[in-house]
Amino acid sequence: MKVDRRSFLGLGLGAAAGIAVSPVGMKLTDDSSIWTQNWPWTPVPVDGEVTYDNSVCSLCPGSCGISVRKIDNRPVKIEGREGYPVNDGGACLHGIAGLQYLYDPSRVKTPLKKNGDKFEEISWDDAIAIVADKLAEIRKSGVPEKLACIADKEQGSVSGLLQRLLKTFGSPNFYTMPSLESYLELTAATLHGEGKTISFDIENASFILSFGAGIIEGWGSPVNCFKANASRKERHAKLYQIEPRLSNTAANADKWIPVKPGTEGDLALGICAVILKKNLFNSTATANFKGGLNKFGALLQKDYEPLKTAEITGVKASDIEKIAIMFAKSKMPVAIFGKGRGDGAQSLKELVAVHTLNCLVGNINKKGGAFVQPKPEYLKFPNESMDNIAKKGFATTKLGPYMNQLVNKVNASSQPVIEALFVHNANPCYSLHDSKSVKQAIGRIPFVVSFSSFLDETAKEADIILPSHTFIERLEDVPSCAGIARTVVGLTKPLVEPVFDTKNPGDSILLIAKALEGSVAQNFEWETYEECLESVVPDIWDSLSEEGFAVISEGLPSGSPGVNVSFLAKNPSTIQAQGDFDLTLIPIDNMRLINAGVPASPFAIKTVSDKVLKGLDSIVEINPLTAKGFKDGGYAMLTTPKGSVKVRVSINEGIMPGVIGMVEGLGHTFDNKYVSNKGINVNELIGPIIESGSGLDAAFGIKAKIAKA
Amino acid sequence: MKQENNKAYKFGMVIDLDKCTGCGSCMVSCMSENNVPFKEDESNKKDSITWMRVYKLTNDKSFPDTQVAYMPRPCQHCSGKGGHGHSPCVSVCPATATDYGYDTGIVSQIYTRCFGCRYCMGACPYHARYFNWWDPKWPEGMENYLSPNVSPRMRGVVEKCSFCYHRFQAARDQAYAEGNKDEIAEENYQTACTTACPAGAIVFGDLNNPEHMVHKIVKPDPHPDPRNKHVIGKSRNPKVFRLLERLGTNTKVYYLSEREWVRKSGDNYLDGEWDKIKNHHGASVSHD
Amino acid sequence: MDSALIPEGAKRCAFPKFAIGIAVVGAVLLWGVFAMFLCWFKGLNQTNMNDYYGFALWIWADLAVIAVGGGAFFTGLLRYIFKIDELKNIINFAVIIGFICYSSALLILAIDIGQPLRGWFIFWHANVHSMLTEVAFCLSAYFAVLTIEFIPNILENRQANKVPFFHHLAHNMHGVMAVFAATGAFLSFFHQGSLGGVAGVMFGRPFAVREGLLIWPWTFFLFTWSAAAFGPCFTLLVTRITEAITGKKLVKDNVVHLLAKISGWMIITYIIAKIIDTIYWAIVTAPSLGFTLSHFYTNNSFYGYWILIVEIIVCGVLPGALLIMKSTRENSNLRLIAIILGVIGVCLNRWVMVLQIMAVPVMSFDTWALYIPSWQEIATSILPVAYGIILISIAYRYLPVFPQEKELNSVEPVTEAE
Ligand SMILES: Nc1nc2c(c(=O)[nH]1)N[C@H]1C(S)=C(S)[C@@H](COP(=O)(O)OP(=O)(O)OC[C@H]3O[C@@H](n4cnc5c(=O)[nH]c(N)nc54)[C@H](O)[C@@H]3O)O[C@H]1N2
Ligand SMILES: Nc1nc2c(c(=O)[nH]1)N[C@H]1C(S)=C(S)[C@@H](COP(=O)(O)OP(=O)(O)OC[C@H]3O[C@@H](n4cnc5c(=O)[nH]c(N)nc54)[C@H](O)[C@@H]3O)O[C@H]1N2
Ligand code: SF4
Ligand code: SF4
Ligand code: SF4
Ligand code: SF4
Ligand code: SF4
Ligand SMILES: [Mo]
């Protein structure tokens, strides 16, 4: 026993000592640490040859030039393209995060067909055949006008192809989502006549009077606006920002002028009144006014004299006078509009009132002012040939000028008003007001075809999805619109082989048209979209393909267009928010989120403040005077006539008492855990209000109340 | 003791807070350039890895006098008391996993050496250091965009802004290849946040080089601040300040603002102190 | 059934009772071990630490056990170097407590680091400027010393002592123990100090930073001093608890009074230094960096001036005073209150120097960071306590820890020493 223990102990000690002095322990220790440095579950990016490629970002109307760094042809980084006439180097966070869209595993990877509640994968051939059969059937029954299309915009060749398809098919029902560009055109049409558009020379203006336009929150062409804004510092140019909330633009401005939501148009008219009364207008310019300048002037002096305007808008009368004097006496003043969403909900009264300021001080087509010129037309499609069915159908009346009429008519009728719908690059089920009724309308359309790259809220309502390449994978002409002073057409180029079984939407449209045969097909004789694009941009193709862009207008436009004030002279009324609660809910912008277009990327969501999104909760901004009894960060029930939601409260001195601000761009409901099901889509809480005289949805917000939850 | 000599680079940054819009491009550009991971919920900002973080500052006044400014905060690349290279984090790291580059002024971070004690995080008053609490994971297919220039970090180590050191290496290689050993051209080494910024708010370059924009804006004072011998390189531009300059961290990220309240929020002051201190800019000013 | 192992002449409870007790505490231990493995395999996301709170509950536990473990080095110093002979009656226990504290501290460190398999880089790639490097070296070396100090006591186990080699080894080790005690005291001086230095050198953290002597901030000396002052309180407290549980008197009152008296004077001198340090910091150091004292103690829901008062007055001045005054010191209830307050005081000091530092905002626009530990942190922080209880129980049962036990508990009553 004793001997055993002794030898056992000896052996044990010996072994321990042996192992301790042998290199085994050291080697194992070393190996284990080397292993931690090369954990197989931590990816090791592959190295290779570095190249750079230029393209254009089309995630928003900004259309920035981008430069993409690649490793052995694998894109790894997107940056702004230096020397590009829109953005010259910088890029916004969404464009920079572009590769997260490209490789997003929740993309639509192949054509899909709705079967009950589920989508099933089908081949491109089958998908095109199903679409063509359905369309042929509609045509055969003699109601081609029952095909409708919703696209993001009117500009560009893909939209051009869709419009051509509808026309030769026989339908006038082509709709676009509201866009800043469409409002610029509408404002120009109302004041200066059809066929024109407006842009603002912000980068040269010496005094910018902005009626809520978030020039550093993504208004217009975002990067271009950022640069113009930043250059104010060296140029000593002033910015006055009029809006109910201390947005980043307001914070960055020389002065923030809080205004009661929805009364910006009245404020603009009040300023007009002071300018007229004090004879501060430019008499050469007003010589061009028609449609009743005297009547307009009298109206202003009666209804918009400073004290009255002050009462309506909440801006002090003395401030109104000061602003008017500053604006009129400034060397290069410009008044810009873009309240609310800039275009999502907009009252024509306000757009026109603001632009009238430009007209009064005579800064139209002057350096640093507002440019009024014909819409840029660079696409040269061959003339369409239409058969009788097409002619008859195309001649029927469009269901209404805007999306909201389309939605109302579809929802109001017991019969299908629309038999088939194309949706391209648009997500109306998310981004239109009262998105639930939009969704209902889309759901009532028997056959919906989506070209979306993602299974977004609208694509989920589709019967067939013909998935498109993302902007990294596709060829497309992208005109810069969005109110920048220079018109540039950029070329988005495929930078990488398509990651999934998707197509350029241009090619998808060509395939559908060809499958329709007959007179429709005759209008689409290009083999590929690439061939089509080259042939419809004959004047600028060389520049597009060599430089990656073409500048189609630059510098001061000539001439001074007439100004017709008859719309305002009729004294249109100001839009009131729907409902009779005490508070007003307004949507707020946030550069780090996307409210139109693809949802923000995981990177962009990551940058969103915890005062905007906390966990899965949306946070609303309330002034401490309004939020009496609420705890910062605490829960609350927010109710509008459209519904109630649970939110959290952020007590914020930067918002007017009585106003609640809620960010746009959250509350997506599709399957992507990094970006979806976070927060609430504010569009569900706001209902459209149609402005009489324009037909526009002009709801700048909605009445609301808030209670403890 | 090693000293920064005049021939060495001393990379630094100036951020114009009047131009910064808080847009977040710099943050995303940094994440994308440096393979920073993301996770499902990033709304807890205390465990969200953002080498570049944009803070929101307010003047604490009530409506309608409230003002807001944004303060982008990369690693400040502190050179420590007296500028001797003992940054708060470097001097505490037991394993030399973070180090001060006397030739560049850049504070490095060696992920494979860091063993995750997080002492450096405690020492850094700027919260510029981030710990990998989780294994980094990319959704399937997204590893495709990872850049080989920056290695993804494993769980359990600290990471932070490197002033895009790989871009310095590339620029240095290029300079060598062009036979220009001692001089990296200003435009050849620019960080990813600088080039991304749509407002042009960030300027980056060599603080030692009078030709570089950063030097021209900052006009760093080579003498120690007579009020605080630990502080060196104070700006002689009255509109320029550094974050927590009084601590003697000697950061190389400078901030620029016309707004007094913004400049004041860069540091802590006792009551009434700011009014005495605010007009003091650099030793040489008081020397002459 | 284990009577062969129990020290001769000592009375111990029945084995089943002992086993049940161990099992109960063992369950808690296993809970901690489970949490520990979660941290190792899943990573530190198991804790509620974050980038603001890089040090958390268990690092406080780590510093606290090291502080209270200071009783070992200090008693060793007094016993072997200053030749205060009475202390031989408590030195074994002090060493065991120290061993438990230091092994726990090392274990916590192994859980705390993000890359445990690379922990040795601290030695391999050592940065001589880092206080933590100094801590790591001294802590490891001192743990080795404690092990050496503990070994003779283990070898005195009835069965082990029968092996002549072990018997002689133990005897000879006792003979040279002064050398180890001296080494231990030296090492302790440095690592206790370096732990204080960890905070004091953080010149980016005005709440922590202190001026000092050469490379050592004042916190360096204060930590060493406080460990020496309060460590004996902990030794006395654990002794008292052991006596209560075993229902036996284990150490004679004169020994206890002596240690309590020394501790009291150490506390008083320490607390004077600490008060001077606090005042200097509050009116010179912090204001020179732009901070008023109120910045550190207001505008948050937890850290108020109370913590300063409790640490310094209630758990510093008060126990010190109670222990230096003969009447209160020799009143067993008041003495107990004093040593409990002392232990709380030093733990609170370590809390403040680890956690409050992290919570205080430094940038003018930053906010207080408050922190609630996760259950995994709590479990791993309790783990050392369970481990300590088990080790003490086993040691007490099988080793002749208390030389006076037999005398104090012999069947025939012996005359009290006093
Ligand atoms: N990050 C990002 N950038 C984008 C987009 C995006 O989705 N995300 N989309 C692009 C597109 S398509 C467009 S059209 C533009 C739109 O860009 P903007 O026209 O700038 O639209 P918003 O940013 O939504 O709103 C501008 C401001 O209006 C304020 N506001 C809300 N209600 C009222 C009100 O009643 N009165 C006044 N005066 N102000 C009010 C909001 O608080 C906000 O500050 O942005 C483009 N850029
Ligand atoms: N209440 C309210 N309503 C609004 C607005 C608002 O602010 N408030 N904003 C208005 C404004 S400014 C606009 S511009 C409109 C925008 O409204 P929409 O254009 O309807 O909204 P988006 O979400 O931009 O829809 C674009 C769709 O294109 C898809 N997509 C993205 N990239 C690609 C691609 O590469 N290929 C294809 N095929 N699809 C792609 C996306 O998945 C997305 O579903 O909404 C308007 N409506
Ligand atoms: S501003 Fe618009 S176009 Fe420019 S990078 Fe951002 S998303 Fe792309
Ligand atoms: S990118 Fe520029 S403007 Fe945007 S937050 Fe960063 S520094 Fe500010
Ligand atoms: S900012 Fe922080 S991490 Fe960067 S060098 Fe300074 S102390 Fe280190
Ligand atoms: S966490 Fe890493 S870098 Fe930081 S101190 Fe510890 S070992 Fe050094
Ligand atoms: S310098 Fe580079 S690493 Fe640092 S914040 Fe900017 S982009 Fe990120
Ligand atoms: Mo838009």
Side-chain angles (χ1 to χ4, degrees):
Chain A
M1 181 67 202
K2 213 172 168 182
V3 176
D4 279 354
R5 179 163 60 215
R6 201 182 266 174
S7 57
F8 174 77
L9 280 168
L11 197 69
L13 285 175
I19 289 171
V21 298
S22 82
V24 173
M26 277 199 238
K27 175 87 174 104
L28 285 177
T29 314
D30 193 37
D31 281 355
S32 67
S33 68
I34 291 171
W35 172 70
T36 66
Q37 294 166 338
N38 297 283
W39 276 341
W41 58 88
T42 305
V44 182
V46 188
D47 208 350
E49 192 201 346
V50 184
T51 52
Y52 292 86
D53 231 332
N54 290 329
S55 186
V56 176
C57 171
S58 60
L59 284 173
C60 90
S63 311
C64 298
I66 54 172
S67 162
V68 181
R69 185 164 82 237
K70 295 165 148 191
I71 304 291
D72 276 347
N73 257 344
R74 176 172 67 86
V76 298
K77 178 79 197 279
I78 297 181
E79 304 205 275
R81 176 177 169 192
E82 255 169 74
Y84 195 80
V86 172
N87 56 316
D88 188 17
C92 89
L93 71 168
H94 304 299
I96 295 170
L99 297 173
Q100 295 200 315
Y101 295 110
L102 174 67
Y103 292 116
D104 186 348
S106 62
R107 274 181 61 181
V108 181
K109 303 184 176 87
T110 170
L112 297 178
K113 175 172 178 274
K114 181 73 92 24
N115 190 350
D117 284 346
K118 288 222 166 81
F119 282 106
E120 56 190 38
E121 302 190 349
I122 54 171
S123 71
W124 272 99
D125 287 346
D126 289 349
I128 297 289
I130 294 171
V131 176
D133 286 352
K134 179 73 190 176
L135 295 193
E137 196 184 294
I138 295 172
R139 241 179 162 252
K140 217 189 271 157
S141 47
V143 284
E145 66 275 14
K146 291 201 172 182
L147 169 66
C149 176
I150 303 170
D152 54 336
K153 58 179 187 219
E154 258 176 31
Q155 298 76 17
S157 64
V158 173
S159 181
L161 281 173
L162 283 166
Q163 291 171 53
R164 188 178 178 85
L165 179 66
L166 256 77
K167 190 168 177 184
T168 58
F169 186 82
S171 172
N173 284 306
F174 178 83
Y175 291 85
T176 55
M177 295 297 284
S179 70
L180 181 59
E181 188 57 33
S182 68
Y183 289 120
L184 293 166
E185 289 172 11
L186 181 63
T187 310
T190 312
L191 278 166
H192 307 297
E194 290 292 335
K196 298 195 174 68
T197 187
I198 303 171
S199 50
F200 304 102
D201 193 10
I202 300 175
E203 57 197 271
N204 287 309
S206 62
F207 180 62
I208 304 154
L209 186 60
S210 157
F211 289 79
I215 54 176
I216 55 169
E217 344 283 328
W219 179 90
S221 182
V223 176
N224 188 271
C225 287
F226 275 66
K227 293 212 138 67
N229 181 64
S231 74
R232 286 193 298 115
K233 195 169 175 180
E234 281 81 31
R235 293 186 287 124
H236 305 288
K238 296 246 173 300
L239 167 66
Y240 276 30
Q241 183 75 5
I242 301 164
E243 60 175 308
R245 170 183 172 264
L246 184 72
S247 67
N248 289 350
T249 311
N252 203 267
D254 297 280
K255 198 169 166 60
W256 167 40
I257 301 150
V259 65
K260 288 187 196 160
T263 65
E264 294 79 359
D266 300 310
L267 181 60
L269 292 174
I271 298 171
C272 286
V274 177
I275 290 176
L276 281 174
K277 175 129 189 222
K278 295 199 187 274
N279 268 326
L280 294 167
F281 55 89
N282 177 317
S283 46
T284 336
T286 49
N288 271 339
F289 275 48
K290 47 186 192 256
L293 180 58
N294 290 341
K295 195 178 161 208
F296 176 51
L299 167 81
L300 291 182
Q301 299 315 327
K302 184 162 100 18
D303 287 355
Y304 294 98
E305 56 86 25
L307 281 172
K308 274 193 185 159
T309 313
E311 198 180 320
I312 303 170
T313 60
V315 180
K316 274 194 283 185
S318 56
D319 283 346
I320 298 176
E321 297 196 349
K322 264 189 231 153
I323 297 165
I325 295 168
M326 262 193 87
F327 185 72
K329 296 205 165 161
S330 185
K331 219 165 130 206
M332 292 177 282
V334 68
I336 58 174
F337 49 75
K339 182 206 85 176
R341 277 269 54 91
D343 45 5
Q346 204 61 252
S347 117
L348 186 59
K349 170 182 173 173
E350 183 182 315
L351 305 178
V352 171
V354 174
H355 189 53
T356 302
L357 279 170
N358 292 321
C359 301
L360 273 182
V361 299
N363 67 1
I364 306 293
N365 293 352
K366 300 251 174 68
K367 188 175 176 196
F371 296 172
V372 177
Q373 52 192 327
K375 289 194 232 175
E377 298 290 355
Y378 64 91
L379 291 173
K380 304 232 158 58
F381 278 102
N383 287 337
E384 304 92 354
S385 66
M386 294 159 78
D387 62 8
N388 283 335
I389 306 176
K391 279 183 188 150
K392 189 173 142 274
F394 190 68
T396 58
T397 350
K398 195 172 168 180
L399 287 173
Y402 303 114
M403 278 291 304
N404 48 62
Q405 284 87 3
L406 173 75
V407 168
N408 282 344
K409 293 217 166 119
V410 171
N411 278 336
S413 163
S414 54
Q415 297 301 311
V417 193
I418 294 293
E419 288 284 352
L421 173 72
F422 285 174
V423 186
H424 173 252
N425 237 5
N427 189 4
C429 294
Y430 173 82
S431 50
L432 286 186
H433 279 161
D434 198 1
S435 33
K436 276 186 197 140
S437 64
V438 178
K439 209 161 161 179
Q440 185 193 350
I442 306 265
R444 297 184 60 151
I445 298 173
F447 188 69
V448 178
V449 180
S450 165
F451 295 88
S452 184
S453 313
F454 302 91
L455 206 54
D456 56 49
E457 288 80 357
T458 310
K460 271 163 88 177
E461 300 299 314
D463 298 279
I464 296 285
I465 303 178
L466 303 175
S468 296
H469 297 333
T470 61
F471 76 95
I472 318 274
E473 301 159 290
R474 82 180 180 217
L475 183 78
E476 196 179 351
D477 54 318
V478 269
S480 69
C481 318
I484 62 168
R486 194 184 285 118
T487 312
V488 181
V489 180
L491 188 69
T492 292
K493 291 188 305 191
L495 296 167
V496 62
E497 288 295 309
V499 175
F500 301 112
D501 185 17
T502 56
K503 281 196 195 301
N504 189 307
D507 282 315
S508 305
I509 299 164
L510 289 183
L511 288 173
I512 295 171
K514 284 175 197 295
L516 280 169
E517 298 172 346
S519 84
V520 177
Q522 275 167 27
N523 284 290
F524 294 85
E525 296 210 305
W526 306 279
E527 277 303 314
T528 59
Y529 168 72
E530 185 171 356
E531 185 192 317
C532 164
L533 178 61
E534 189 172 342
S535 77
V536 298
V537 292
D539 305 334
I540 57 170
W541 178 251
D542 287 348
S543 176
L544 278 185
S545 51
E546 279 156 31
E547 308 286 336
F549 64 91
V551 178
I552 48 180
S553 82
E554 194 166 26
L556 283 185
S558 55
S560 46
V563 180
N564 187 333
V565 291
S566 58
F567 178 82
L568 288 176
K570 277 181 252 159
N571 197 11
S573 56
T574 299
I575 295 292
Q576 302 298 321
Q578 182 192 348
D580 42 32
F581 298 121
D582 288 338
L583 309 176
T584 310
L585 170 71
I586 60 164
I588 59 182
D589 55 315
N590 187 323
M591 188 58 209
R592 300 185 191 175
L593 285 166
I594 300 191
N595 22 54
V598 289
S601 58
F603 274 159
I605 293 280
K606 185 170 175 175
T607 68
V608 170
S609 155
D610 56 358
K611 296 267 178 191
V612 170
L613 173 72
K614 185 79 194 165
L616 302 179
D617 298 320
S618 270
I619 303 182
V620 298
E621 288 180 14
I622 315 186
N623 186 286
L625 294 174
T626 325
K628 286 230 166 78
F630 287 95
K631 230 179 62 197
D632 193 38
Y635 283 101
M637 280 310 281
L638 173 66
T639 304
T640 76
K642 292 285 149 192
S644 284
V645 290
K646 195 171 169 190
V647 294
R648 290 210 210 190
V649 169
S650 161
I651 312 257
N652 191 323
E653 293 283 1
I655 190 160
M656 280 182 94
V659 180
I660 303 175
M662 184 168 178
V663 84
E664 297 242 27
L666 294 174
H668 277 283
T669 52
F670 53 92
D671 182 25
N672 182 333
K673 64 176 178 176
Y674 299 101
V675 303
S676 284
N677 302 314
K678 292 175 189 287
I680 285 150
N681 179 5
V682 64
N683 293 325
E684 288 178 6
L685 294 172
I686 302 178
I689 298 174
I690 308 304
E691 183 182 37
S692 66
S694 71
L696 294 174
D697 169 13
F700 56 86
I702 194 160
K703 289 293 181 186
K705 67 169 183 182
I706 190 152
K708 280 200 187 147
Chain B
M1 195 198 289
K2 276 187 276 181
Q3 285 278 342
E4 281 176 274
N5 60 40
N6 284 336
K7 268 187 200 143
Y9 301 107
K10 193 169 166 191
F11 291 107
M13 212 177 247
V14 190
I15 307 181
D16 187 334
L17 302 184
D18 301 332
K19 290 186 175 174
C20 175
T21 64
C23 71
S25 287
C26 47
M27 295 174 75
V28 168
S29 186
C30 177
M31 294 187 233
S32 160
E33 178 79 18
N34 292 296
N35 295 336
V36 174
F38 55 92
K39 56 190 183 349
E40 190 172 338
D41 182 6
E42 294 279 11
S43 69
N44 177 1
K45 300 304 172 190
K46 288 179 181 151
D47 66 23
S48 179
I49 303 178
T50 43
W51 295 9
M52 174 64 106
R53 176 165 175 199
V54 180
Y55 283 88
K56 186 174 182 173
L57 317 184
T58 70
N59 65 347
D60 281 329
K61 296 221 171 117
S62 56
F63 176 88
D65 301 317
T66 326
Q67 288 193 37
V68 161
Y70 289 90
M71 153 96 46
R73 191 253 35 220
C75 166
Q76 308 283 304
H77 294 274
C78 308
S79 45
K81 290 188 176 167
H84 300 305
H86 299 294
S87 6
C89 53
V90 167
S91 54
V92 302
C93 175
T96 330
T98 178
D99 207 3
Y100 189 79
Y102 288 90
D103 52 340
T104 56
I106 295 176
V107 174
S108 67
Q109 178 72 18
I110 309 166
Y111 315 121
T112 45
R113 182 175 297 173
C114 171
F115 66 95
C117 70
R118 305 180 305 288
Y119 189 10
C120 54
M121 294 171 66
C124 169
Y126 305 101
H127 300 299
R129 300 185 149 264
Y130 295 89
F131 187 72
N132 282 273
W133 302 101
W134 288 268
D135 278 306
K137 277 204 186 87
W138 283 266
E140 193 196 335
M142 262 199 211
E143 322 83 47
N144 270 312
Y145 73 54
L146 294 179
S147 156
N149 302 112
V150 183
S151 54
R153 283 69 62 186
M154 63 294 289
R155 181 185 89 200
V157 303
V158 163
E159 62 182 75
K160 68 161 192 81
C161 156
S162 65
F163 267 177
C164 291
Y165 194 77
H166 58 288
R167 292 193 174 204
F168 166 72
Q169 290 172 314
R172 188 186 50 196
D173 292 351
Q174 185 183 345
Y176 265 71
E178 287 163 3
N180 206 349
K181 275 194 204 166
D182 301 321
E183 202 53 59
I184 290 176
E186 191 175 7
E187 65 278 12
N188 284 352
Y189 173 32
Q190 288 296 322
T191 65
C193 47
T194 308
T195 55
C197 176
I202 309 179
V203 179
F204 181 82
D206 181 5
L207 288 162
N208 279 346
N209 189 330
E211 300 301 310
H212 283 206
M213 195 50 111
V214 279
H215 183 97
K216 289 180 190 165
I217 299 172
V218 171
K219 304 191 205 68
D221 191 330
H223 309 289
D225 182 350
R227 288 159 181 262
N228 182 344
K229 63 181 181 348
H230 298 310
V231 174
I232 192 151
K234 195 176 170 78
S235 175
R236 281 176 286 191
N237 178 341
K239 301 294 156 68
V240 171
F241 64 100
R242 287 185 285 181
L243 268 180
L244 303 174
E245 190 170 66
R246 308 179 72 175
L247 300 187
T249 47
N250 287 313
T251 62
K252 287 195 286 295
V253 176
Y254 292 79
Y255 294 91
L256 172 64
S257 180
E258 297 287 331
R259 290 169 285 182
E260 192 179 322
W261 73 267
V262 172
R263 297 199 295 272
K264 190 181 172 198
S265 53
D267 216 324
N268 297 282
Y269 300 97
L270 306 176
D271 286 345
E273 212 176 13
W274 167 253
D275 291 316
K276 280 182 251 155
I277 285 178
K278 67 179 176 187
N279 294 318
H280 173 78
H281 305 286
S284 339
V285 176
S286 57
H287 284 161
D288 53 38
Chain C
M1 67 191 276
D2 57 350
S3 49
L5 289 163
I6 289 174
E8 230 162 335
K11 269 184 62 192
R12 294 292 180 260
C13 68
F15 185 74
K17 191 173 165 197
F18 174 74
I20 289 168
I22 293 289
V24 170
V25 184
V28 177
L29 180 93
L30 283 179
W31 180 54
V33 170
F34 174 60
M36 175 178 87
F37 278 103
L38 279 181
C39 293
W40 274 339
F41 287 104
K42 294 195 168 184
L44 294 180
N45 51 51
Q46 297 296 305
T47 71
N48 278 351
M49 280 194 271
N50 57 47
D51 295 330
Y52 274 54
Y53 253 110
F55 297 163
L57 187 70
W58 63 44
I59 279 294
W60 160 73
D62 195 88
L63 264 75
V65 293
I66 293 177
V68 297
F73 95 82
F74 189 60
T75 318
L77 183 80
L78 296 173
R79 156 81 176 82
Y80 292 108
I81 312 299
F82 294 111
K83 309 277 185 215
I84 302 182
D85 206 44
E86 290 97 316
L87 294 178
K88 70 171 185 282
N89 296 315
I90 200 165
I91 186 72
N92 284 344
F93 202 47
V95 164
I96 292 174
I97 295 170
F99 179 86
I100 290 167
C101 289
Y102 279 80
S103 51
S104 301
L106 287 171
L107 180 70
I108 293 175
L109 285 180
I111 308 170
D112 173 70
I113 56 180
Q115 286 283 353
L117 295 175
R118 296 185 205 164
W120 55 280
F121 286 14
I122 203 169
F123 303 111
W124 196 252
H125 300 290
N127 170 16
V128 294
H129 296 289
S130 175
M131 284 290 167
L132 211 52
T133 304
E134 203 171 308
V135 172
F137 275 91
C138 294
L139 205 66
S140 312
Y142 183 56
F143 177 63
V145 169
L146 276 171
T147 311
I148 292 170
E149 294 189 65
F150 188 18
I151 285 173
N153 197 223
I154 299 175
L155 297 181
E156 280 160 10
N157 169 273
R158 199 156 105 201
Q159 294 306 322
N161 211 31
K162 287 184 187 152
V163 183
F165 171 72
F166 288 164
H167 177 84
H168 292 121
L169 184 61
H171 185 79
N172 288 326
M173 281 179 89
H174 275 302
V176 294
M177 209 39 90
V179 178
F180 289 106
T183 316
F186 174 80
L187 289 170
S188 261
F189 179 80
F190 274 97
H191 79 251
Q192 295 281 4
S194 300
L195 279 170
V198 164
V201 297
M202 293 204 277
F203 64 97
R205 296 279 190 172
F207 183 76
V209 70
R210 294 295 190 279
E211 284 144 78
L213 189 69
L214 302 173
I215 62 163
W216 298 290
W218 296 129
T219 47
F220 181 95
F221 305 101
L222 288 173
F223 263 53
T224 305
W225 203 251
S226 58
F230 294 103
C233 281
F234 188 67
T235 311
L236 290 175
L237 180 64
V238 179
T239 308
R240 178 72 187 257
I241 293 171
T242 312
E243 288 181 338
I245 291 175
T246 57
K248 284 187 206 123
K249 187 138 184 65
L250 300 169
V251 181
K252 285 189 186 165
D253 278 348
N254 68 329
V255 179
V256 170
H257 293 165
L258 177 64
L259 198 54
K261 179 174 166 187
I262 293 170
S263 179
W265 282 106
M266 291 293 290
I267 293 173
I268 284 296
T269 49
Y270 160 75
I271 213 72
I272 291 169
K274 171 75 187 170
I275 290 170
I276 295 171
D277 169 74
T278 306
I279 292 172
Y280 187 81
W281 163 74
I283 66 175
V284 179
T285 315
S288 77
L289 305 172
F291 291 84
T292 54
L293 191 64
S294 65
H295 179 94
F296 305 122
Y297 298 100
T298 51
N299 279 326
N300 77 95
S301 56
F302 183 71
Y303 292 104
Y305 287 108
W306 65 267
I307 201 162
L308 196 60
I309 294 164
V310 172
E311 181 202 328
I312 294 180
I313 310 293
V314 182
C315 297
V317 175
L318 183 61
L322 289 174
L323 293 181
I324 56 172
M325 289 185 296
K326 188 167 193 288
S327 58
T328 46
R329 176 173 69 237
E330 297 188 354
N331 174 315
S332 83
N333 287 331
L334 288 177
R335 189 175 65 239
L336 180 62
I337 290 172
I339 59 182
I340 290 175
L341 288 179
V343 171
I344 294 175
V346 74
C347 293
L348 201 57
N349 172 266
R350 298 316 194 244
W351 178 286
V352 165
M353 294 311 279
V354 180
L355 297 185
Q356 193 173 354
I357 289 174
M358 299 290 121
V360 177
V362 183
M363 291 186 289
S364 71
F365 45 87
D366 222 329
T367 48
W368 277 82
L370 295 177
Y371 154 89
I372 297 164
S374 71
W375 73 262
Q376 291 91 329
E377 284 170 79
I378 295 171
T380 33
S381 301
I382 290 177
L383 172 91
V385 180
Y387 151 74
I389 292 173
I390 291 176
L391 198 74
I392 288 178
S393 310
I394 294 175
Y396 167 74
R397 189 173 178 86
Y398 299 122
L399 305 180
V401 174
F402 298 100
Q404 295 172 317
E405 182 188 354
K406 231 197 270 179
E407 178 187 347
L408 287 167
N409 296 282
S410 58
V411 200
E412 307 96 54
V414 256
T415 1
E416 282 284 313
E418 284 185 352

